[in-house]
Short mmCIF file of all heavy atoms in Angstrom, two decimals:
data_model
loop_
_atom_site.label_atom_id
_atom_site.label_comp_id
_atom_site.label_asym_id
_atom_site.label_seq_id
_atom_site.Cartn_x
_atom_site.Cartn_y
_atom_site.Cartn_z
N PHE A 157 -114.44 -135.12 36.43
CA PHE A 157 -114.59 -134.86 34.99
C PHE A 157 -113.61 -133.77 34.57
O PHE A 157 -113.46 -132.76 35.25
CB PHE A 157 -116.01 -134.38 34.67
CG PHE A 157 -117.09 -135.37 35.00
CD1 PHE A 157 -118.27 -134.95 35.59
CD2 PHE A 157 -116.93 -136.73 34.72
CE1 PHE A 157 -119.28 -135.85 35.88
CE2 PHE A 157 -117.94 -137.63 35.02
CZ PHE A 157 -119.12 -137.20 35.60
N LYS A 158 -112.98 -133.99 33.44
CA LYS A 158 -112.15 -132.97 32.81
C LYS A 158 -112.85 -132.56 31.51
O LYS A 158 -113.02 -133.37 30.60
CB LYS A 158 -110.75 -133.52 32.53
CG LYS A 158 -109.96 -133.78 33.81
CD LYS A 158 -108.65 -134.50 33.53
CE LYS A 158 -107.68 -133.61 32.80
NZ LYS A 158 -106.34 -134.28 32.67
N TRP A 159 -113.28 -131.30 31.47
CA TRP A 159 -114.08 -130.80 30.36
C TRP A 159 -113.19 -130.16 29.31
O TRP A 159 -112.20 -129.48 29.62
CB TRP A 159 -115.09 -129.78 30.88
CG TRP A 159 -116.17 -130.37 31.72
CD1 TRP A 159 -116.18 -130.48 33.08
CD2 TRP A 159 -117.41 -130.93 31.26
NE1 TRP A 159 -117.34 -131.08 33.51
CE2 TRP A 159 -118.12 -131.36 32.41
CE3 TRP A 159 -117.97 -131.10 30.00
CZ2 TRP A 159 -119.38 -131.95 32.32
CZ3 TRP A 159 -119.23 -131.69 29.91
CH2 TRP A 159 -119.92 -132.12 31.06
N HIS A 160 -113.57 -130.33 28.03
CA HIS A 160 -112.84 -129.69 26.96
C HIS A 160 -113.75 -129.51 25.75
O HIS A 160 -114.84 -130.10 25.67
CB HIS A 160 -111.60 -130.51 26.57
CG HIS A 160 -111.92 -131.84 25.96
ND1 HIS A 160 -112.28 -132.94 26.71
CD2 HIS A 160 -111.93 -132.25 24.67
CE1 HIS A 160 -112.51 -133.97 25.91
NE2 HIS A 160 -112.31 -133.57 24.66
N LYS A 161 -113.31 -128.70 24.82
CA LYS A 161 -113.97 -128.55 23.53
C LYS A 161 -112.92 -128.68 22.44
O LYS A 161 -111.74 -128.41 22.65
CB LYS A 161 -114.65 -127.18 23.40
CG LYS A 161 -115.98 -127.05 24.09
CD LYS A 161 -116.66 -125.73 23.74
CE LYS A 161 -118.06 -125.65 24.35
NZ LYS A 161 -118.77 -124.41 23.93
N LYS A 162 -113.38 -129.06 21.26
CA LYS A 162 -112.53 -129.09 20.07
C LYS A 162 -112.93 -127.98 19.12
O LYS A 162 -114.10 -127.58 19.07
CB LYS A 162 -112.63 -130.45 19.38
CG LYS A 162 -112.08 -131.61 20.18
CD LYS A 162 -112.17 -132.92 19.41
CE LYS A 162 -111.57 -134.07 20.21
NZ LYS A 162 -111.65 -135.36 19.45
N LEU A 163 -111.98 -127.49 18.38
CA LEU A 163 -112.22 -126.50 17.33
C LEU A 163 -111.80 -127.14 16.01
O LEU A 163 -110.62 -127.37 15.77
CB LEU A 163 -111.43 -125.21 17.59
CG LEU A 163 -111.62 -124.08 16.58
CD1 LEU A 163 -113.08 -123.64 16.52
CD2 LEU A 163 -110.72 -122.90 16.92
N GLU A 164 -112.79 -127.44 15.17
CA GLU A 164 -112.54 -128.20 13.96
C GLU A 164 -113.12 -127.50 12.75
O GLU A 164 -114.00 -126.64 12.87
CB GLU A 164 -113.13 -129.60 14.10
CG GLU A 164 -112.58 -130.39 15.28
CD GLU A 164 -113.29 -131.70 15.51
OE1 GLU A 164 -114.53 -131.74 15.35
OE2 GLU A 164 -112.62 -132.68 15.85
N LEU A 165 -112.68 -127.90 11.56
CA LEU A 165 -113.26 -127.38 10.34
C LEU A 165 -114.72 -127.83 10.22
O LEU A 165 -115.08 -128.95 10.58
CB LEU A 165 -112.46 -127.88 9.13
CG LEU A 165 -111.09 -127.25 8.90
CD1 LEU A 165 -110.38 -127.95 7.76
CD2 LEU A 165 -111.22 -125.75 8.61
N ASP A 166 -115.55 -126.93 9.72
CA ASP A 166 -116.96 -127.26 9.49
C ASP A 166 -117.04 -128.44 8.53
O ASP A 166 -116.37 -128.47 7.50
CB ASP A 166 -117.66 -126.03 8.88
CG ASP A 166 -119.17 -126.15 8.95
OD1 ASP A 166 -119.70 -127.26 8.76
OD2 ASP A 166 -119.84 -125.11 9.16
N SER A 167 -117.85 -129.42 8.89
CA SER A 167 -117.92 -130.65 8.11
C SER A 167 -118.81 -130.53 6.87
O SER A 167 -118.85 -131.44 6.04
CB SER A 167 -118.42 -131.80 8.98
OG SER A 167 -119.72 -131.50 9.49
N ARG A 168 -119.52 -129.42 6.73
CA ARG A 168 -120.39 -129.27 5.56
C ARG A 168 -119.57 -129.11 4.28
O ARG A 168 -118.49 -128.50 4.29
CB ARG A 168 -121.31 -128.05 5.73
CG ARG A 168 -122.31 -128.20 6.88
CD ARG A 168 -123.12 -126.94 7.05
NE ARG A 168 -122.24 -125.82 7.43
CZ ARG A 168 -122.68 -124.58 7.64
NH1 ARG A 168 -123.97 -124.30 7.48
NH2 ARG A 168 -121.84 -123.63 7.98
N VAL A 169 -120.08 -129.63 3.22
CA VAL A 169 -119.37 -129.58 1.94
C VAL A 169 -119.14 -128.13 1.52
O VAL A 169 -120.08 -127.32 1.50
CB VAL A 169 -120.16 -130.33 0.84
CG1 VAL A 169 -119.47 -130.19 -0.52
CG2 VAL A 169 -120.31 -131.80 1.21
N GLY A 170 -117.90 -127.81 1.20
CA GLY A 170 -117.57 -126.47 0.74
C GLY A 170 -117.31 -125.47 1.84
O GLY A 170 -116.85 -124.35 1.56
N ALA A 171 -117.58 -125.81 3.11
CA ALA A 171 -117.37 -124.87 4.21
C ALA A 171 -115.89 -124.74 4.52
O ALA A 171 -115.12 -125.70 4.42
CB ALA A 171 -118.13 -125.34 5.45
N THR A 172 -115.47 -123.54 4.89
CA THR A 172 -114.06 -123.30 5.23
C THR A 172 -113.89 -122.75 6.64
O THR A 172 -112.76 -122.54 7.09
CB THR A 172 -113.44 -122.30 4.24
OG1 THR A 172 -114.18 -121.07 4.27
CG2 THR A 172 -113.45 -122.86 2.82
N ASN A 173 -114.99 -122.51 7.33
CA ASN A 173 -114.90 -121.96 8.68
C ASN A 173 -114.71 -123.07 9.71
O ASN A 173 -114.81 -124.26 9.39
CB ASN A 173 -116.17 -121.16 9.02
CG ASN A 173 -117.41 -122.04 9.01
OD1 ASN A 173 -117.72 -122.67 7.99
ND2 ASN A 173 -118.10 -122.10 10.13
N ARG A 174 -114.43 -122.66 10.94
CA ARG A 174 -114.24 -123.61 12.03
C ARG A 174 -115.43 -123.57 12.99
O ARG A 174 -116.10 -122.56 13.12
CB ARG A 174 -112.94 -123.31 12.78
CG ARG A 174 -111.70 -123.44 11.89
CD ARG A 174 -110.44 -123.36 12.69
NE ARG A 174 -109.26 -123.44 11.85
CZ ARG A 174 -108.03 -123.63 12.30
NH1 ARG A 174 -107.82 -123.75 13.61
NH2 ARG A 174 -107.01 -123.70 11.47
N VAL A 175 -115.62 -124.69 13.67
CA VAL A 175 -116.78 -124.85 14.55
C VAL A 175 -116.32 -125.45 15.88
O VAL A 175 -115.55 -126.43 15.89
CB VAL A 175 -117.84 -125.77 13.91
CG1 VAL A 175 -119.02 -125.97 14.86
CG2 VAL A 175 -118.31 -125.21 12.58
N PHE A 176 -116.78 -124.86 16.99
CA PHE A 176 -116.52 -125.46 18.30
C PHE A 176 -117.46 -126.64 18.52
O PHE A 176 -118.64 -126.59 18.19
CB PHE A 176 -116.75 -124.44 19.42
CG PHE A 176 -115.57 -123.55 19.67
CD1 PHE A 176 -115.57 -122.24 19.23
CD2 PHE A 176 -114.46 -124.03 20.35
CE1 PHE A 176 -114.49 -121.41 19.46
CE2 PHE A 176 -113.36 -123.21 20.59
CZ PHE A 176 -113.38 -121.90 20.14
N SER A 177 -116.92 -127.69 19.08
CA SER A 177 -117.74 -128.85 19.44
C SER A 177 -118.57 -128.53 20.69
O SER A 177 -118.35 -127.51 21.36
CB SER A 177 -116.85 -130.05 19.74
OG SER A 177 -116.11 -129.85 20.95
N ASP A 178 -119.51 -129.39 21.00
CA ASP A 178 -120.19 -129.32 22.29
C ASP A 178 -119.17 -129.69 23.39
O ASP A 178 -118.14 -130.32 23.10
CB ASP A 178 -121.36 -130.30 22.34
CG ASP A 178 -122.50 -129.90 21.42
OD1 ASP A 178 -122.65 -128.67 21.18
OD2 ASP A 178 -123.22 -130.80 20.94
N PRO A 179 -119.44 -129.32 24.62
CA PRO A 179 -118.52 -129.72 25.70
C PRO A 179 -118.39 -131.24 25.79
O PRO A 179 -119.37 -131.96 25.68
CB PRO A 179 -119.19 -129.15 26.96
CG PRO A 179 -120.04 -128.02 26.47
CD PRO A 179 -120.53 -128.46 25.12
#
Side-chain angles (χ1 to χ4, degrees):
F157 299 138
K158 292 172 69 174
W159 291 93
H160 67 281
K161 281 188 176 184
K162 294 182 178 180
L163 181 60
E164 301 173 322
L165 287 174
D166 195 323
S167 60
R168 295 176 297 179
V169 175
T172 58
N173 63 302
R174 298 189 182 193
V175 178
F176 276 105
S177 69
D178 291 332

